[in-house]
Amino acid sequence: MSKIRIATTSLAGCFGCHMSFLDMDERLVALLEHVELNRSPLTDIKHCGPCDIGLVEGGLCNTDNVHVLREFRDNCKILIAVGACAINGGVPAMRNHFTLRECLEEAFLNGVGVENPQIPNDVELPLLLDKVRPLHELVHVDYYLPGCPPSADEFLSVLGDLLEGREPALPKKLLHYD
Amino acid sequence: MEQNATSPSNQGHPSNLRRVAIDPISRVEGHGRITLLLDDENHIHEARFHIVEFRGFEKFIQGRPYWEVPFLVQRLCGICPVSHQLAAAKAVDQLVGVERLTPTAEKLRRLLHFGQTLQSHALHFFHLSSPDLLFGFGSNPAQRNIVGVLDKYPELALKGVKLRKYGQQVIAAIAGKRIHGTATVPGGMNKILSIAERDALLVDIKDILAWSQDALALNEQIHTANPEHRDFATIRSNFLSMVGSGGELEIYHGGLRARSASGATIFDQFDYRGYQQIIREEVRPWSYMKFPFLIELGKEQGWYRVGPLARVNNCNFISTPLAEAARKRFREFGQGGFVHDTLAYHWARMIEALHCAEAIYMLLHDDEITGTDLVADLGEKRREGIGVIEAPRGTLFHHYQIDEEGLITKANLIVSTTGNNQAMNESVRSVANEYLDGHEITEGLLNHLEVAVRAYDPCLSCATHALGKMPLQVELLDADGALLDRLTKGSNGMIERTL
Ligand code: SF4
């Protein structure tokens, strides 16, 4: 059986969803026998190639996130929004209650102990979006994996279903609040 | 790798420099980018390490109740959420007037933090950095990852996976789940560690001790056996860390110590609640991460390094025997002075991992760990709290002010990785000049720059708690104010229709 190719990325997230993926522990080793990792923070592949599944953590907070998400959508047959941030913006979206300028000014102009106050502005810095947005506002999302973060068991359940060609459905015991 | 001869970076460079970007830096946590500007002969004119993400935490936390903060703020970082929760909790203790926790609560917090540090250090070495050190910096990129290590060194990789797992299990036993659990309450902890939970953790602790020793031996061997590792990305710097009251390595509570590159004391046992008197942070236009410096030495000379290398160099001793023996060998390697080798971060990190394993062993054998007195009597409410902790990546500062209703009015964070911002830039420059200057740029050479950054184990996820730059957006509204069209100028300078 040829391996299933998976890409993963973190956009405006905290990496907790990726850490939870690694929380499969020894089961990750078994999974990797059926899976080939493409672009991911764990590999040195910088751009997503053609993949079967894309796992995306975090919402959209800047134009880099937008480009990466488009790249994932263009290349992945199945795109999964992983975790609260990807699904509805999560904690980073708390900034939506303020204007971007207020947030920038607090960090770089009015913060405690700030030397040389100025708002960073350089061609190397991606533009920030006015609001943090969930993935589905930009691209079509095939599945949503809830949780902050989703547990390792959830990842295994969904990936197991997809590997075996079933429509993924989380068993009831995995659907719960913290 | 992206090579873009017409990138906007060329603007303002009459000599028509070529830009090479590593974007994203991989096998680190979070979003960073390295850029080089090169001339026709491939001579390096500029090498920079940028943090490209901004969050705005200091602002959006305002108006939230103080007791919510530890659980909100840990969502800055899924790798060291416990460190953020604990630093915030220490600040919250001050807000509710608690000077001293109950013995059980303090021990539970320490156990929790040792679990956090063990899992984070194991993750960094085995899952992220070991491919460079085992296969070579310029080795085949297709193999240079944890899957490659599992293929080639299955036994070693599996030990790494299990070390990390154990640290996560310690966290789960105390905080309810491995990532973003809840453990702290104002003035204490929310749950006991039951005897059954303690016994379950005791089952594997002997293996964990043995594997931590193996991981240390491997890193010590890699560093001491490769003379070229001594100079790679190496810079001389000041060091900042927390130490215990006897000058011992301390990751939960103590005073601040800063020493110069030659070992001279800049300050010692400094009460961290006065941090504003010793540290300021400079903003530079090309990174969202600020550049902190020691006020006493000024902007140019005052930058420092934090994290395992700083802590192991800075402390007088380590309180657990195996890690202390390892520290002595480390010290001998430095011939009595500081070890400034950037790649010795890995070695120092594994000394700490072993210390964590030993400390967990001791705490699990301490009867008070299963005690039931979890919350101290609350004292007089205060309007300001400052919590500092040694997170896996270095000294972490959380500072909050509240109004009379307990809502946050001001927040400041100096996250650990920020402490190494200048150092990472210096190391990137050093490697660029030493290894890339005048050469044809290859993938393998570019990975050398990432190896330099990785040594610091940067967590660029929490380094970006501040927010970035304004998008240029034009909106076309009709007479009723309904949006008809929207054009946005992207980071690549392209104008896109984004309606
Ligand atoms: S959903 Fe939770 S764990 Fe995942 S990125 Fe967001 S804050 Fe982190």
Side-chain angles (χ1 to χ4, degrees):
Chain A
M1 181 174 109
S2 72
K3 289 190 172 185
I4 289 216
R5 202 175 292 150
I6 296 185
T8 80
T9 191
S10 169
L11 305 178
C14 77
F15 262 74
C17 290
H18 273 80
M19 291 302 111
S20 195
F21 181 81
L22 294 181
D23 280 340
M24 289 180 214
D25 305 324
E26 298 96 315
R27 294 177 295 175
L28 179 68
V29 180
L31 182 77
L32 286 171
E33 280 166 22
H34 309 286
V35 163
E36 180 190 319
L37 277 183
N38 193 261
R39 174 184 170 152
S40 160
L42 295 171
T43 71
D44 285 345
I45 301 171
K46 311 276 185 188
H47 289 282
C48 179
C51 283
D52 299 295
I53 301 171
L55 299 172
V56 181
E57 164 197 308
L60 304 158
C61 77
N62 65 25
T63 49
D64 264 12
N65 296 159
V66 169
H67 295 311
V68 173
L69 181 58
R70 289 221 166 100
E71 184 183 290
F72 266 66
R73 182 66 276 180
D74 289 347
N75 282 287
C76 300
K77 287 186 206 145
I78 296 171
L79 191 75
I80 306 182
V82 176
C85 299
I87 295 171
N88 60 24
V91 166
M94 285 174 68
R95 85 149 148 96
N96 294 354
H97 299 291
F98 300 89
T99 65
L100 183 55
R101 174 166 292 281
E102 285 173 308
C103 294
L104 286 165
E105 288 178 350
E106 186 69 18
F108 297 111
L109 303 184
N110 309 325
V112 177
V114 171
E115 179 88 6
N116 207 5
Q118 60 183 314
I119 292 177
N121 183 3
D122 184 274
V123 282
E124 291 298 346
L125 301 179
L127 296 175
L128 293 163
L129 305 181
D130 56 343
K131 301 276 183 218
V132 176
R133 297 177 190 280
L135 304 187
H136 66 262
E137 288 194 13
L138 184 75
V139 298
H140 171 73
V141 172
D142 298 295
Y143 297 104
Y144 297 85
L145 194 56
C148 178
S151 65
D153 288 345
E154 276 180 71
F155 279 105
L156 276 169
S157 166
V158 167
L159 293 176
D161 283 346
L162 289 171
L163 276 165
E164 286 170 29
R166 283 191 301 266
E167 180 69 13
L170 287 175
K172 211 161 177 205
K173 75 170 173 29
L174 291 180
L175 280 172
H176 55 75
Y177 289 105
D178 261 14
Chain B
M1 182 177 106
E2 174 190 279
Q3 291 207 10
N4 190 345
T6 55
S7 113
S9 296
N10 289 357
Q11 291 163 10
H13 290 279
S15 51
N16 208 14
L17 296 173
R18 186 164 59 100
R19 169 184 179 270
V20 175
I22 303 177
D23 182 21
I25 301 174
S26 46
R27 288 186 283 125
V28 297
E29 306 97 358
H31 308 86
R33 172 185 300 176
I34 294 170
T35 58
L36 304 173
L37 293 180
L38 307 162
D39 64 20
D40 288 342
E41 267 90 55
N42 284 323
H43 289 304
I44 310 273
H45 286 247
E46 190 178 276
R48 279 177 173 171
F49 165 65
H50 313 259
I51 294 296
V52 297
E53 201 175 69
F54 171 69
R55 293 285 165 77
F57 175 83
E58 292 92 341
K59 188 70 197 179
F60 72 62
I61 199 76
Q62 291 178 7
R64 308 300 309 184
Y66 70 85
W67 45 263
E68 206 180 75
V69 169
F71 316 112
L72 273 181
V73 69
Q74 69 179 346
R75 281 162 171 93
L76 289 174
C77 176
I79 304 120
C80 56
V82 165
S83 307
H84 283 289
Q85 182 177 146
L86 288 176
K90 287 175 80 174
V92 167
D93 292 342
Q94 289 161 32
L95 296 177
V96 298
V98 170
E99 281 288 334
R100 185 166 275 275
L101 299 179
T102 66
T104 296
E106 173 156 347
K107 283 176 183 170
L108 282 171
R109 285 196 187 177
R110 285 178 181 274
L111 180 58
L112 179 62
H113 205 214
F114 284 124
Q116 163 71 92
T117 305
L118 177 64
Q119 77 83 15
S120 174
H121 282 2
L123 166 86
H124 179 260
F125 175 64
F126 290 99
H127 297 73
L128 302 176
S129 279
S130 70
D132 298 319
L133 297 167
L134 297 171
F135 298 137
F137 304 168
S139 58
N140 175 10
Q143 183 196 29
R144 217 172 46 210
N145 55 54
I146 179 70
V147 186
V149 180
L150 275 165
D151 264 356
K152 185 95 192 289
Y153 304 99
E155 207 190 322
L156 175 80
L158 205 58
K159 279 182 196 167
V161 166
K162 288 183 185 168
L163 271 176
R164 174 174 180 277
K165 173 187 180 182
Y166 187 79
Q168 293 286 72
Q169 287 172 329
V170 170
I171 294 172
I174 297 171
K177 58 179 195 159
R178 289 175 166 207
I179 297 161
H180 301 331
T182 54
T184 62
V185 293
M189 295 291 279
N190 67 8
K191 166 188 159 304
I192 60 158
L193 182 71
S194 72
I195 290 175
E197 286 163 338
R198 193 260 330 259
D199 290 348
L201 289 174
L202 277 171
V203 173
D204 290 327
I205 187 66
K206 288 247 166 70
D207 284 339
I208 296 305
L209 274 166
W211 297 337
S212 305
Q213 282 171 273
D214 296 347
L216 168 63
L218 175 64
N219 274 275
E220 188 170 330
Q221 195 267 335
I222 289 173
H223 195 74
T224 52
N226 289 294
E228 68 278 18
H229 281 205
R230 286 229 66 167
D231 296 328
F232 184 87
T234 290
I235 50 176
R236 285 175 64 81
S237 71
N238 307 303
F239 289 110
L240 173 77
S241 69
M242 181 183 267
V243 290
S245 55
E248 72 274 23
L249 180 82
E250 173 58 55
I251 61 172
Y252 179 70
H253 190 68
L256 296 178
R257 171 181 282 180
R259 292 211 163 134
S260 73
S262 60
T265 299
I266 302 166
F267 50 77
D268 199 4
Q269 297 296 347
F270 187 87
D271 183 340
Y272 56 67
R273 286 171 295 183
Y275 81 101
Q276 290 176 73
Q277 296 155 32
I278 50 169
I279 293 172
R280 286 178 68 78
E281 292 182 277
E282 188 192 354
V283 183
R284 297 191 197 157
W286 45 272
S287 185
Y288 286 132
M289 188 158 75
K290 290 177 230 176
F291 292 81
F293 61 92
L294 304 174
I295 294 171
E296 191 176 323
L297 301 183
K299 257 193 295 215
E300 302 298 322
Q301 307 296 325
W303 59 276
Y304 52 84
R305 288 193 277 185
V306 296
L309 188 67
R311 290 190 289 251
V312 173
N313 270 322
N314 247 353
C315 69
N316 300 3
F317 66 98
I318 300 178
S319 60
T320 54
L322 297 172
E324 170 60 6
R327 187 197 68 87
K328 286 195 172 131
R329 293 195 299 275
F330 184 88
R331 198 76 187 163
E332 267 162 35
F333 181 77
Q335 297 175 322
F338 284 159
V339 176
H340 285 282
D341 312 6
T342 296
L343 288 178
Y345 259 102
H346 296 291
W347 180 3
R349 201 170 282 120
M350 290 303 115
I351 294 175
E352 290 191 337
L354 177 57
H355 170 59
C356 291
E358 290 182 283
I360 290 170
Y361 179 92
M362 285 164 65
L363 281 167
L364 292 176
H365 286 89
D366 183 328
D367 285 342
E368 268 178 337
I369 202 72
T370 48
T372 55
D373 188 9
L374 296 181
V375 186
D377 293 335
L378 305 191
E380 201 180 320
K381 281 241 163 55
R382 272 174 274 176
R383 291 290 185 84
E384 185 163 50
I386 295 171
V388 174
I389 199 164
E390 283 291 332
R393 291 158 188 79
T395 320
L396 168 66
F397 299 77
H398 278 224
H399 178 184
Y400 304 100
Q401 289 170 359
I402 55 174
D403 64 16
E404 68 275 16
E405 288 172 64
L407 306 181
I408 304 285
T409 55
K410 189 99 185 154
N412 186 38
L413 266 70
I414 307 177
V415 298
S416 317
T417 297
T418 306
N420 284 331
N421 198 2
Q422 179 74 21
M424 287 188 285
N425 271 284
E426 298 283 345
S427 286
V428 162
R429 256 197 298 281
S430 147
V431 171
N433 290 331
E434 180 111 346
Y435 290 84
L436 283 80
D437 190 72
H439 293 277
E440 194 55 48
I441 305 293
T442 60
E443 193 280 340
L445 280 177
L446 288 176
N447 187 51
H448 282 59
L449 296 169
E450 298 184 71
V451 169
V453 169
R454 267 177 218 129
Y456 293 90
D457 186 14
C459 178
L460 313 179
S461 179
C462 44
T464 54
H465 59 280
L467 267 180
K469 167 168 92 170
M470 315 297 289
L472 196 61
Q473 203 173 66
V474 181
E475 292 184 341
L476 180 64
L477 306 179
D478 70 14
D480 300 317
L483 187 62
L484 292 180
D485 204 355
R486 181 191 289 140
L487 295 176
T488 302
K489 184 167 171 233
S491 56
N492 53 6
M494 300 272 288
I495 297 189
E496 288 178 28
R497 181 154 279 127
T498 51
L499 188 62

